[in-house]
Amino acid sequence: MQTPDDGARARRPEPGTADTVVLDVDGTLVDSVYHHVWAWQHAFAEVGVDVPLWQVHRAIGMGGDRLVAAVAGDAVERGVGDRLREVHDEAYERVVRTVRPLPGAEDLVTTLLEQGWRVGVASSGTREQTATALELLPDAHRLDAVVAGPDVDTTKPAADIARLCVERAGGSAGLLVGDTVWDVRTAGALGGACLGVLTGGFSEAELLDAGAFAVVGSAEDVPAALHDLAPHHRGAVTPSTREVPRA
């Protein structure tokens, strides 16, 4: 598998150096990683390209603009890349209603806001897939920013998607939370830090080796891990004071 490298290694954070938490979606907030693996397998089979499931799983977290070449090569991307992405999206749509929130995700945004963070989500998925995932989270309307793959020229592990999320949230520096090594590499490309979670199938050792400053079990463990790094405690923010900039 080709492994794109878009920047420096993620760094260890210092208290007060970041003001915006950039949350990944698939595998971090919602339990959708293996739905995407199945959809990609279906797409590759549709065009007659044999790619092992484990290899597809290792690439989940990249955007579709990068995944095809990473797992099947540049020639496949040039020849049928657009068709593969189309079939993947159609297949994923057939199973998306079985996706569920991961532990702790449903009130994570509110808890982080109360710690003083600006909070946004940055997903390499489509706008429709991102919006559908956020429908599962009762406090998603309180997000400061929502960014999806089509909003940038290059998706993870390039820094573009995280940088835009921080900008839209009105922040100055981001701290990423994600389940894949691609999230960690995105943080490195951004010049920031990444907290890993284990709910996407990557191991603690892999996430730490990629540069995550710490790894926790799931979204429910994120607030405790970030508490001492929060910029300040600004208290609860009512929904009426925050409108979600939809992707």
Side-chain angles (χ1 to χ4, degrees), residues 27-29 101-105 108 177-179 195-200 215-225:
T28 300
L29 297 177
L102 285 161
L108 178 60
V177 177
D179 63 293
L195 174 67
V197 294
L198 293 175
T199 41
V215 177
V216 297
S218 68
E220 64 186 344
D221 304 309
V222 168

Side-chain angles (χ1 to χ4, degrees), residues 63-155:
D65 60 319
R66 312 192 80 171
L67 183 146
V68 173
V71 302
D74 293 332
V76 173
E77 168 59 37
R78 289 192 298 269
V80 291
D82 289 342
R83 177 57 182 162
L84 280 164
R85 284 180 281 275
E86 180 182 353
V87 177
H88 162 272
D89 292 348
E90 292 171 353
Y92 183 75
E93 182 63 26
R94 296 205 296 271
V95 296
V96 69
R97 294 303 169 187
T98 65
V99 172
R100 296 292 180 265
L102 285 161
E106 292 176 282
D107 58 0
L108 178 60
V109 173
T110 295
T111 304
L112 293 176
L113 288 171
E114 291 174 351
Q115 286 184 348
W117 298 100
R118 297 179 183 276
V119 185
V121 298
S123 171
S124 292
T126 67
R127 294 187 182 99
E128 294 76 16
Q129 291 162 8
T130 303
T132 299
L134 293 180
E135 288 174 2
L136 299 174
L137 308 179
D139 60 1
H141 62 283
R142 303 178 75 173
L143 286 162
D144 292 296
V146 176
V147 181
D151 295 326
V152 295
D153 292 332
T154 308
T155 59

Side-chain angles (χ1 to χ4, degrees), residues 28-66:
T28 300
L29 297 177
V30 298
D31 194 8
S32 55
V33 167
Y34 296 98
H35 297 70
H36 280 292
V37 172
W38 173 83
W40 279 115
Q41 182 197 38
H42 176 81
F44 282 114
E46 178 83 9
V47 301
V49 176
D50 183 23
V51 178
L53 273 174
W54 70 265
Q55 197 166 330
V56 175
H57 174 256
R58 308 301 294 175
I60 297 297
M62 297 183 198
D65 60 319
R66 312 192 80 171

